[in-house]
Amino acid sequence: MESGTREKARNVLKRILEAASFAVAEVDDPLVLSGIRGDTALLVLCSDDPETIRKFDSMNYRLRTGDDDLVCRKLLFTLNPAVQTEDCMRWGADEFTLYAGRAALAKVLGQTLVLDIGRPPPATRGESVEDAPTAVEEEPEAGPELPHLPVRITEKRACGIAGLHGSAKCRFIPCWNYRYVSTGEREVKDRLVSFDAEGAGSINAINGMKMEIDQGSIEREPVPFGSEIVPARLVREDVEGQIVREVIDRLTQRLRFRYEKGDAIFYEEKTLKPDRNNIKVDLEIIYVPVWQVRGGSRIVEVNAFTGEVLSMPMDEGVELL
């Protein structure tokens, strides 16, 4: 959402909340407004960015005013129809138009706008006292800091994707990220063969299967608290040896030479391989989040980054029924 559009939307949303008897104040980016009415607190976000919306939807907020520490409800205004939310009210163009019109009419008639935002969550008392309303993010407990793909699929959504009513556990599966560079060349009978090559990929550190990982999405932040960190079973030396062997096989060339000797014609075949010492491999373990959903006797694994249901378990100790 462009800054000009966002600013105009904030002004209209402010008038809507004021028409509904909210005491409205501006807050720091990326949020736009906070509102208090009695024991009801509300935070407002205007955005089309999926990542900003995801964080807003998953975060818990409190609004402090005086001695009151209120748990906030959340309102999102977005023009992006593709984003999904689970824990906040969502207004699109239709809802925005509806309430903007009702707010204008309420002002003309001198009435209070009836704005249904659901039942407010229970308020709690905080020990700290601040004069002005301030939005405070509740920092969730965090697990260890690891390079990993972010968890974009919530537990509730994972259960829905799996089609099971049961419990879910977030497990971080280790994978070896690798990059190799091969150099060198050989000359045989006036023919020059180059072994220059480079490449990258990922290998599951549990079962050794090749994987495709979005390298640009890897983050180095704490994983969610309570997640299971699955230890790697494939050690660095074994993985490096496997990659080197694969590179040698891929770059090996078989050449056939023709030459004459007396009245006879001969063919000679030579197999040329790159020198193992000229192949350098860089390795790093990164983690892929997976929801393991259990329902009765069934287990379904859902990739917590892509939402894909896994046809084969990423951990060979898991049996999918």
Side-chain angles (χ1 to χ4, degrees):
M1 185 177 295
E2 296 180 356
S3 59
T5 303
R6 184 170 177 267
E7 180 69 21
K8 294 175 184 177
R10 178 175 63 181
N11 293 335
V12 175
L13 287 166
K14 182 177 181 180
R15 290 195 292 269
I16 293 174
L17 295 182
E18 288 175 340
S21 297
F22 276 88
V24 184
E26 296 184 3
V27 292
D28 295 334
D29 290 338
L31 306 177
V32 293
L33 297 171
S34 67
I36 298 177
R37 184 182 63 190
D39 61 354
T40 299
L42 182 68
L43 283 177
V44 183
L45 172 69
C46 297
S47 179
D48 291 335
D49 178 60
E51 183 62 19
T52 301
I53 293 173
R54 183 190 67 80
K55 290 182 179 179
F56 179 68
D57 187 46
S58 62
M59 184 67 71
N60 296 321
Y61 295 88
R62 292 178 183 273
L63 196 65
R64 291 177 184 167
T65 173
D67 292 333
D68 292 328
D69 190 358
L70 307 177
V71 180
C72 295
R73 295 190 63 80
K74 297 175 288 186
L75 172 62
L76 165 68
F77 170 59
T78 181
L79 299 177
N80 183 352
V83 296
Q84 300 293 325
T85 59
E86 296 183 359
D87 193 39
C88 66
M89 295 171 294
R90 173 176 168 173
W91 285 5
D94 292 341
E95 292 84 0
F96 185 88
T97 303
L98 173 66
Y99 285 111
R102 288 182 177 179
L105 180 60
K107 183 176 182 179
V108 170
L109 299 179
Q111 299 176 347
T112 299
L113 173 65
V114 177
L115 186 62
D116 182 13
I117 60 171
R119 295 181 61 185
T124 59
R125 292 284 178 176
E127 295 181 356
S128 60
V129 177
E130 299 184 15
D131 295 331
T134 306
V136 180
E137 297 182 356
E138 285 188 333
E139 290 291 342
E141 293 184 273
E145 184 171 313
L146 299 171
H148 65 279
L149 293 176
V151 177
R152 292 182 175 175
I153 305 299
T154 64
E155 178 180 357
K156 181 178 178 181
R157 179 62 180 151
C159 291
I161 293 173
L164 297 177
H165 294 286
S167 61
K169 176 172 62 175
C170 189
R171 311 174 77 227
F172 280 80
I173 308 298
C175 301
W176 283 107
N177 244 11
Y178 67 85
R179 178 174 295 278
Y180 70 84
V181 176
S182 173
T183 58
E185 59 186 20
R186 288 186 62 184
E187 184 176 358
V188 179
K189 296 185 183 299
D190 298 329
R191 294 179 65 175
L192 186 64
V193 177
S194 173
F195 297 117
D196 292 344
E198 61 181 53
S202 301
I203 297 175
N204 186 308
I206 303 295
N207 56 30
M209 296 181 61
K210 293 292 183 66
M211 303 178 60
E212 291 186 6
I213 291 180
D214 182 356
Q215 302 295 324
S217 297
I218 295 174
E219 56 186 28
R220 286 166 173 77
E221 297 180 355
V223 301
F225 180 77
S227 301
E228 178 184 356
I229 311 300
V230 180
R233 296 184 183 177
L234 301 182
V235 299
R236 177 184 295 268
E237 291 75 14
D238 292 343
V239 175
E240 182 176 355
Q242 174 187 338
I243 295 169
V244 169
R245 289 191 296 271
E246 291 178 355
V247 172
I248 291 176
D249 290 343
R250 189 178 304 122
L251 297 180
T252 295
Q253 298 189 40
R254 292 176 175 83
L255 303 180
R256 180 172 293 178
F257 302 92
R258 178 183 181 276
Y259 65 93
E260 299 180 5
K261 188 175 182 181
D263 295 333
I265 297 177
F266 294 87
Y267 289 90
E268 180 183 358
E269 187 174 88
K270 284 187 175 292
T271 299
L272 305 181
K273 296 183 178 182
D275 187 338
R276 183 186 183 96
N277 295 326
N278 290 337
I279 300 175
K280 306 301 180 184
V281 180
D282 291 327
L283 286 165
E284 179 189 25
I285 279 200
I286 61 99
Y287 291 82
V288 177
V290 173
W291 285 108
Q292 188 180 95
V293 184
R294 294 177 177 267
S297 60
R298 296 185 62 206
I299 299 176
V300 176
E301 287 192 332
V302 178
N303 188 310
F305 174 69
T306 64
E308 174 190 4
V309 175
L310 304 182
S311 58
M312 295 186 63
M314 297 191 75
D315 181 350
E316 62 184 11
V318 175
E319 180 180 2
L320 303 185
L321 303 179

